[in-house]
Structure formats: C-alpha cells, structure tokens
Amino acid sequence: MCYKFIMEGGKLFLTLVVLGCNFTPSHGDAGSDLSKLSTEYFEWRMSVRPESSTYRGYHKYNDILESFTMAGYNQSKIKADEYFARLTSIPRDDLSRSDKLNYDILENMLSTYRNGYEWRLYNNINPLNLMEGPQRSPSIFTSFFPFYTIGDYENYLARLTRLPVQIDERISLFREAIRLGTAYNNVSVNLVIDQIEKVQNDCPLSSYSANCGFYKPFTQGLDQIHTSNATRDMIRSRGVIAVNSVMQKFQDLKVFIQTEYMPATRKGYGVVNLHKGREFYQACLKWYLSLDLTPEEVHRKGLDEVKRISGEMKKIMVKNNFQGSISEYFAMLKNDPSMFYNSSEAMLDGYRDLINTRVDPYLAKLFNNLPGLPIVVKPLSSDGPAGRYSTGSKDGSIPGIFWANVIRPAEFPKYSMLPLAMHEANPGHHLQLSYNLLTETPDFRSKMESSTKFRVPYAFPSYTAFIEGWALYAESLGEELGLYKDDNELMGRYSSEIFRACRLVVDTGIHYYNWTKDDALDYILTYTTESHDAMSVEIDRYVTWPGQACSYKIGELKIKEVRQVAEKRLGDKFDIRAFHTSIMDNGAVPLDLLERNVNDWIEDQLTKQPQEPGSPTCSARNQFAQIWLLSILLTSVGILRH
Ligand SMILES: *[C@@H]1O[C@H](CO)[C@@H](O)[C@H](O)[C@H]1NC(C)=O
Ligand SMILES: *[C@@H]1O[C@H](CO)[C@@H](O)[C@H](O)[C@H]1NC(C)=O
Ligand SMILES: *[C@@H]1O[C@H](CO)[C@@H](O)[C@H](O)[C@H]1NC(C)=O
Ligand SMILES: *[C@@H]1O[C@H](CO)[C@@H](O)[C@H](O)[C@H]1NC(C)=O
Ligand SMILES: *[C@@H]1O[C@H](CO)[C@@H](O)[C@H](O)[C@H]1NC(C)=O
C-alpha cells in the first residue's frame, strides 16, 4: 500500500492507492544482511560527521564535533575496507531489484572513498578555504541545532568547547600540507582573513550579543527555556567562557594563515603544478563526474559545446543584423532599460509568474505522478548567487523555496530569469527533490552526508553531477517546450548554458593544461555576460575545488545521451513522461548507474504489455525520508552561482 500526493487546482488530495504497488518481498538473508549493513554504515557516517548529522535532523551526536587528524583518516579507511568486505560477501544475485540498486550505490560510495585514500595528502589536508570552514558562517554552526531544553544547551556548550581543539587539528593538517608541498594557491585562502575578521568584529571579546553567531543561542532563545534564572545565568556565563576560547583560537588561526600558511602557498595556479598533479586532478574529476572521462575528453566536450552554443547565439545575432561579438551583443541588450525590472518586488513577481503560468502548466507533458509539492519564491537577504533552492517537507507543510537574488534588479536582465527559474524550481531542483522526498530509499541514500569538498577525492560522494546535471537539463526542456518566447529569452537561455560549457574548458585548462588566471578570465569573458570581478571570484572557486565546476555540463550531457539512446531503441514506444519519471524515481545516482538504470528501463519498455495512458505507476514512497542533505548542498555555498 502506498500514499500518493496529488496537487490539483491548488488543493491537496491524499489518494490511497492500493493496487499497482508492487513490493518485492525481501529476499531472505541477502536482503536482511544488506539492510543491516547499510544501517550500520549509516550510523557510522553520522557518528563521524556530527555537524552533518545535525543538519540532517539526526541529533544523537549533537555534543561532539568532527575530528580532523591523520590517525582519523587512517581509521576511516580501515572502517570503509571492512564495510566493503562485508558488502561484497553478500550475494548480489540473491537481492531484489531495488536492493540491487541499494547494493550498487553503497558499493559506489565505499569504492569512491577507498579509491580517494591515495590522495589524502592533497587538498584533504588543507581543511578550510574561502568557501568552507567555521569562519565562513558561524550561523551554520547553530542554525540546524535544536535549542529547546537545558540538555540541548549542554550539548551546544560541549560543541563550542570542542571547537578550538578542532581548529588546532585543522592547523596541524595545514602544517602537514606545507611540509609535503601540497598547499593551496593563495587565492583559496585570501578571503579567509576577511572572514575571520568579520567574525571577530561581530564578537568583541567577552561582550557578546545576538550579532555574534556563536553566542546568539544564549540571548533571547535561552529566556524561553523553562528553568530557573540561576541556571540561565550559569549557562550564559559558561557560554561567554566557551565563546572566548573560540575567539582566541580564531585569532591563532588568523595569525597562522597570515604568517605561516600564506608564505608557503603554492605559486602555481592549478593542481597541475603539484607532484603527480595531473593524476590528482583526474581523480578529482572522476569523483565529481562519477564517470571515467579524461581531462582531455572533458576539455574537448567543453570546446565542442561552446562552439555549438555560440553558433546558436550567432544565428540570433545575424537575424537581428548585429555584427559584433557575443559579449557586445549582451552589452547592447543590457543598455535597454526595458530588459530590467525596476524594483525587487516586481522581479519577485516576475519569477512567480514564470513558475506558475509559464512553466508549471506544461509539466504534465513531461512527467507522470507529479509530486505537486508547493514551491514559493523568496528574496535572498544578502547578495551572492543569482538563486538557490532549499527543500520543503514531504507533506507540503513547508514549501520548497527558490531564493532569488533580487537585490540588484537593474543588473539582472529579465531574459536570464526563465532559465534560472527552471533550474532552481520546476522542472529543476524543486521537482527532482520533490520526487526524492516521496521516494522510499534507505537512510544512507535519503540522508546522504553533505560532502566537504576540500576532501575530494577522499570523500563520500553526493552525486552532484546527477543533481546539477538534471537542473541544467531542466533548462533545456524549456527550449524543447518552446517556453523561451523571443530571441532575447533564447539568448538568456544560451548564456546560462554556455557558462557551464565554458567551465569544462576553464577548469581543465587551469588544472590540467596549466592555464594562468588571465587565460581563464579571457576565455570565460569572451562568451559570458558576467563582470570581470564576478568571474575572478568564480575562477578562484575552480582553483580551490578542482573538477567541481565540470559536474553540471557533464551531468546534463549524460542525461541527453541516455535519452537519445532510449528514443532510438524504443522508437514509437518512447514515452517522454515515463522516461523522465523513471529517472526521478531512482533518485540521485552516479552517472554510470544512471546509464544502467535507463538501459534496464528500456528493456522493460520493450517487453512490457501496452498500458493505459496515464494510469498511475506506484513507486513505493513513504513518509519517512528526509532530504536535509540536498538543501544544504544547494544552499551552503553562499558566494557561488549555481
Ligand atoms: C596512516 O597510514 C599510513 C599508511 O599505512 C602510515 O604511513 C601513517 O603513518 C599512518 N598515520 C597515522 C597518523 O596513523
Ligand atoms: C528572572 O529574571 C527575569 C528577567 O531578568 C525577571 O523578570 C524575573 O523576575 C526573574 N525571576 C525571579 C524568580 O527572580
Ligand atoms: C598571492 O600569490 C601571488 C604570486 O603567486 C602574489 O603575486 C600575490 O601578491 C599573493 N597574494 C597575497 C595576498 O599574498
Ligand atoms: C606552469 O606554467 C608556469 C608559467 O606560467 C611554469 O612556471 C610552470 O613550470 C608550469 N607548470 C607545469 C607543470 O608545466
Ligand atoms: C517600471 O517598468 C514598467 C515597465 O516594465 C514601467 O511601465 C514603469 O513606468 C516603470 N516604473 C518606474 C518607476 O520606472
């Protein structure tokens, strides 16, 4: 039996669908062994990634913090080896079809991690940077933490007390990186100094207020707790002592970075300048892409895509009798005031209108069993990326949120809004994560840990190539449906796409072909509409996270490729709605498994009986899966554009 939520005309119907739900009975010992193993594995991951567990709403480890030591890295490898041995002793052939996928994903997670061990002495021992670390955002430290009881405060105090130890551990790892010659280029840590100074300014020693992220929970929140004033006073004074030592440790960190680390940063820009740097880069690419592609292949795909997309753009420019370059064409568009909304409110309404009237009416042409979970548009409170997405709850009581940057309406042209809305909302992140919320998968898949990217490739995967590839593919569905209504909107769509194609060229350029920052800037500014300053920070991100920027376009290309295969093999039998829905129902997977799942689906279509169009296929969906992960994944990276 399974429940299905259907959103119709704005009303939520709960339909109990009894027929058509095909639960495969568990297949004896193999199935229960796998389930036991995956539960233990999940528990292990939660226990060693306590901050990440808190984000998932898993509160068992709220009193500890992750440790950052060489010995810890070694122990994790041993643990992963043990799990891997247990997994591979389970006879996969005896598993049900859905368990086979669970098996394969667990195998992929463990193998990815074990393969990464070889590279543990690279970025992995440079454990904070302009995008990651406790200095980035103290609010991340507290915002998912429950503060309802004195026990919660005791847990939080334990964490705060542990934080200086963790910062010392990070410093020790940095010293190893200096010793081994695997430090970052200085662009990865320049901003860290500013970030630490911001934290220090917000937290003047011993006189803390709600402005100080680490101290904030001890302000009004504590007054709501049912206890005596004496206890509250005691907790507050312990809070001041704990935050004092955190602040002192931040000062140590700042001095360390300024005086020891900065002078030792690598002079070369890309990782190609490290010992065995090209191999390291290849391993990073493999981690992000979940595919075996060489840097040469990725670079070549990027050049081909840039050529193809800029060809489409030039056709439009020729049609409009424009002789100049792509960036000149965009400069011309940007000179026209009618291309912009003149207030933030109007821009927000513009997004709402795009989602509700332009896109959503067409979704049923492309998908079956639309989850219908609500999506709302809200303004981002601080400047940064053009948009972000955060997931809602599976009962719809908390909507998915498309956080739109409407701070500078005069700089963000209307023609860029539709592709962004399709990326973040429907049929992009919101739709994909809505299916995910409603799909029954084991905790180790539905509550996947958020990756700390400095660790890559010695890290457990989070299948970014699938998630971001899907969102970029979603932008292309707008073109297929004819939703981009004029030349300008099509130019907006192509500019969004070519930006991701440029990333393939530039990321491989920097890390494999030893491009300088100027080479990278020159290339990216030729094809995009972005400012020099914005692209400079963008490229610092590529330098810090080798390979990450390639996941979007490669994921999209893979989805397009498997679709073409399916269309070709199924001919008249190809049903686009069934195709998309089958991808959605399997959730986030590595791209090689995506390919295999689609091939299995093709075989099913070739052999199955003709079905009534539109009859509900009932994938097992339960009410327990929660996807904190993905919302963190998509929202935690403040300065970046998705
Ligand atoms: C980790 O394991 C490696 C390889 O076995 C070994 O060389 C190294 O000494 C270990 N480090 C620690 C801190 O245990
Ligand atoms: C506790 O403190 C609050 C505010 O500081 C005060 O209003 C209240 O009277 C105090 N309660 C007792 C029992 O002292
Ligand atoms: C970063 O390193 C480059 C040389 O690699 C140097 O020119 C620049 O001044 C350094 N920046 C800082 C802030 O130290
Ligand atoms: C990368 O280029 C720089 C000059 O820009 C050069 O000094 C360095 O040796 C090159 N690195 C490699 C690995 O070729
Ligand atoms: C805002 O733009 C609309 C058209 O998009 C225009 O009609 C209106 O006059 C503008 N308002 C202001 C205050 O410029």
Side-chain angles (χ1 to χ4, degrees):
M1 164 160 77
C2 67
Y3 296 89
K4 188 162 156 316
F5 286 102
I6 306 171
M7 185 70 102
E8 268 171 353
K11 273 162 101 187
L12 192 62
F13 293 92
L14 176 62
T15 317
L16 187 57
V17 187
V18 181
L19 295 173
C21 291
N22 243 328
F23 279 104
T24 329
S26 92
H27 283 52
D29 291 347
S32 60
D33 286 353
L34 178 64
S35 151
K36 186 161 175 291
L37 175 64
S38 64
T39 305
E40 283 175 38
Y41 163 80
F42 172 72
E43 191 66 32
W44 169 54
R45 293 312 305 159
M46 291 291 117
S47 72
V48 294
R49 298 288 315 282
E51 292 97 317
S52 166
S53 316
T54 304
Y55 304 148
R56 305 289 168 285
Y58 195 83
H59 295 304
K60 204 165 150 186
Y61 303 107
N62 280 3
D63 59 337
I64 57 174
L65 283 181
E66 182 165 9
S67 85
F68 289 79
T69 62
M70 288 292 205
Y73 289 150
N74 278 5
Q75 279 157 17
S76 282
K77 168 65 165 43
I78 292 166
K79 242 355 207 187
D81 288 347
E82 283 168 16
Y83 282 116
F84 190 78
R86 277 174 65 188
L87 180 70
T88 49
S89 73
I90 295 173
R92 183 179 176 282
D93 289 347
D94 293 354
L95 294 168
S96 68
R97 186 164 178 172
S98 61
D99 267 346
K100 283 192 173 98
L101 185 57
N102 291 331
Y103 178 106
D104 294 341
I105 289 178
L106 186 53
E107 181 182 39
N108 176 277
M109 287 181 174
L110 290 164
S111 303
T112 302
Y113 188 69
R114 296 167 75 235
N115 292 337
Y117 182 73
E118 185 183 350
W119 304 105
R120 71 194 177 283
L121 302 178
Y122 283 69
N123 278 10
N124 186 43
I125 53 173
N126 291 271
L128 58 81
N129 56 52
L130 77 165
M131 293 161 297
E132 298 171 285
Q135 86 292 350
R136 256 277 293 146
S137 169
S139 68
I140 293 180
F141 201 76
T142 57
S143 49
F144 292 84
F145 204 92
F147 289 104
Y148 302 122
T149 65
I150 291 297
D152 291 335
Y153 277 88
E154 289 293 346
N155 286 340
Y156 181 63
L157 280 166
R159 264 198 183 173
L160 272 182
T161 307
R162 161 94 188 136
L163 186 55
V165 180
Q166 192 199 59
I167 292 174
D168 270 337
E169 289 174 352
R170 295 192 202 233
I171 291 174
S172 299
L173 289 183
F174 270 131
R175 289 205 169 105
E176 271 303 281
I178 294 172
R179 193 177 67 80
L180 295 167
T182 53
Y184 288 130
N185 181 280
N186 66 21
V187 298
S188 301
V189 285
N190 283 345
L191 270 179
V192 168
I193 302 298
D194 294 346
Q195 291 165 346
I196 294 175
E197 284 172 357
K198 163 125 186 24
V199 175
Q200 290 177 323
N201 288 337
D202 289 345
C203 303
L205 213 56
S206 292
S207 60
Y208 304 120
S209 67
N211 274 342
C212 174
F214 295 111
Y215 189 74
K216 190 171 180 205
F218 298 109
T219 57
Q220 299 102 316
L222 187 53
D223 291 331
Q224 313 305 314
I225 306 287
H226 183 73
T227 188
S228 67
N229 280 356
T231 304
R232 265 191 278 273
D233 289 346
M234 176 68 81
I235 298 254
R236 277 199 180 107
S237 59
R238 287 166 64 202
V240 170
I241 292 168
V243 177
N244 274 347
S245 52
V246 169
M247 297 320 298
Q248 271 151 16
K249 196 48 69 180
F250 268 111
Q251 178 62 21
D252 292 351
L253 176 65
K254 185 171 115 182
V255 170
F256 166 77
I257 290 185
Q258 281 173 327
T259 62
E260 269 184 67
Y261 191 74
M262 287 296 265
T265 46
R266 71 167 181 259
K267 296 290 165 271
Y269 200 50
V271 297
V272 59
N273 291 292
L274 298 173
H275 174 63
K276 296 215 303 189
R278 284 204 168 91
E279 290 95 322
F280 170 59
Y281 180 59
Q282 171 105 41
C284 291
L285 264 186
K286 183 166 184 194
W287 191 96
Y288 280 111
L289 305 183
S290 52
L291 278 182
D292 272 318
L293 287 176
T294 64
E296 290 94 337
E297 285 168 321
V298 173
H299 193 77
R300 167 62 43 204
K301 277 180 194 283
L303 292 171
D304 288 349
E305 282 291 280
V306 167
K307 191 169 165 202
R308 179 185 65 77
I309 303 161
S310 60
E312 297 294 331
M313 293 169 120
K314 285 191 178 125
K315 275 187 220 156
I316 293 177
M317 289 158 57
V318 167
K319 193 173 129 200
N320 290 294
N321 295 317
F322 189 84
Q323 313 291 332
S325 70
I326 289 173
S327 53
E328 283 162 353
Y329 189 82
F330 280 112
M332 179 198 73
L333 290 183
K334 284 188 169 181
N335 257 334
D336 175 355
S338 76
M339 292 291 156
F340 297 90
Y341 281 107
N342 44 26
S343 75
S344 300
E345 204 39 59
M347 198 173 162
L348 278 179
D349 284 340
Y351 276 124
R352 290 175 185 132
D353 185 57
L354 287 175
I355 294 169
N356 295 330
T357 65
R358 201 90 83 78
V359 179
D360 282 7
Y362 291 92
L363 293 178
K365 283 181 187 259
L366 297 173
F367 298 89
N368 293 321
N369 307 328
L370 283 168
L373 293 178
I375 168 91
V376 297
V377 186
K378 290 191 181 181
L380 272 176
S381 58
S382 58
D383 213 347
R388 295 184 200 165
Y389 174 74
S390 60
T391 46
S393 60
K394 63 185 154 292
D395 63 2
S397 60
I398 303 170
I401 303 173
F402 164 24
W403 298 94
N405 184 341
V406 293
I407 291 172
R408 293 168 288 124
E411 289 169 45
F412 199 80
K414 289 178 186 170
Y415 57 73
S416 296
M417 291 171 59
L418 183 56
L420 184 67
M422 296 192 81
H423 184 104
E424 306 289 347
N426 289 330
H429 290 320
H430 177 64
L431 189 69
Q432 195 250 312
L433 295 171
S434 293
Y435 276 103
N436 232 337
L437 274 177
L438 299 178
T439 303
E440 181 179 0
T441 49
D443 284 344
F444 84 90
R445 289 176 60 193
S446 62
K447 298 181 193 158
M448 237 185 317
E449 67 195 89
S450 59
S451 298
T452 26
K453 296 186 176 61
F454 68 81
R455 289 213 172 91
V456 174
Y458 189 38
F460 283 90
S462 50
Y463 306 137
T464 325
F466 175 87
I467 292 165
E468 292 299 348
W470 175 265
L472 185 53
Y473 172 77
E475 295 179 31
S476 76
L477 291 175
E479 199 175 345
E480 199 171 321
L481 290 171
L483 300 187
Y484 297 105
K485 69 175 168 28
D486 59 27
D487 286 346
N488 293 336
E489 285 200 348
L490 266 179
M491 284 299 275
R493 139 104 188 110
Y494 294 138
S495 82
S496 168
E497 189 184 18
I498 205 168
F499 180 59
R500 273 54 163 256
C502 285
R503 285 173 167 179
L504 302 185
V505 178
V506 170
D507 198 83
T508 49
I510 292 168
H511 291 297
Y512 195 77
Y513 296 109
N514 197 21
W515 285 17
T516 63
K517 184 162 184 172
D518 284 339
D519 296 335
L521 270 170
D522 284 350
Y523 188 84
I524 212 161
L525 288 173
T526 308
Y527 296 104
T528 57
T529 68
E530 309 285 339
S531 71
H532 184 281
D533 287 355
M535 287 304 97
S536 175
V537 179
E538 173 82 15
I539 291 170
D540 292 346
R541 159 191 173 179
Y542 306 159
V543 173
T544 309
W545 290 342
Q548 194 271 347
C550 299
S551 39
Y552 305 67
K553 189 73 199 173
I554 294 294
E556 182 226 28
L557 288 173
K558 182 49 94 181
I559 294 168
K560 285 185 168 167
E561 180 193 316
V562 296
R563 175 173 160 179
Q564 265 177 5
V565 171
E567 284 174 351
K568 197 158 159 231
R569 289 201 52 211
L570 292 172
D572 289 348
K573 278 184 160 179
F574 179 80
D575 172 356
I576 187 67
R577 296 179 306 165
F579 171 77
H580 285 149
T581 310
S582 84
I583 291 183
M584 295 292 88
D585 279 344
N586 279 325
V589 293
L591 295 181
D592 51 358
L593 284 184
L594 168 75
E595 185 156 28
R596 201 197 64 199
N597 288 340
V598 169
N599 285 333
D600 290 350
W601 176 82
I602 294 171
E603 294 307 321
D604 287 353
Q605 303 305 298
L606 287 170
T607 55
K608 82 168 186 194
Q609 314 277 49
Q611 213 190 355
E612 291 284 306
S615 71
T617 59
C618 193
S619 58
R621 288 172 181 172
N622 77 6
Q623 305 296 303
F624 305 102
Q626 276 198 15
I627 307 242
W628 282 113
L629 143 77
L630 296 159
S631 80
I632 302 300
L633 187 78
L634 301 167
T635 61
S636 62
V637 190
I639 62 167
L640 309 177
R641 162 175 173 163
H642 291 114

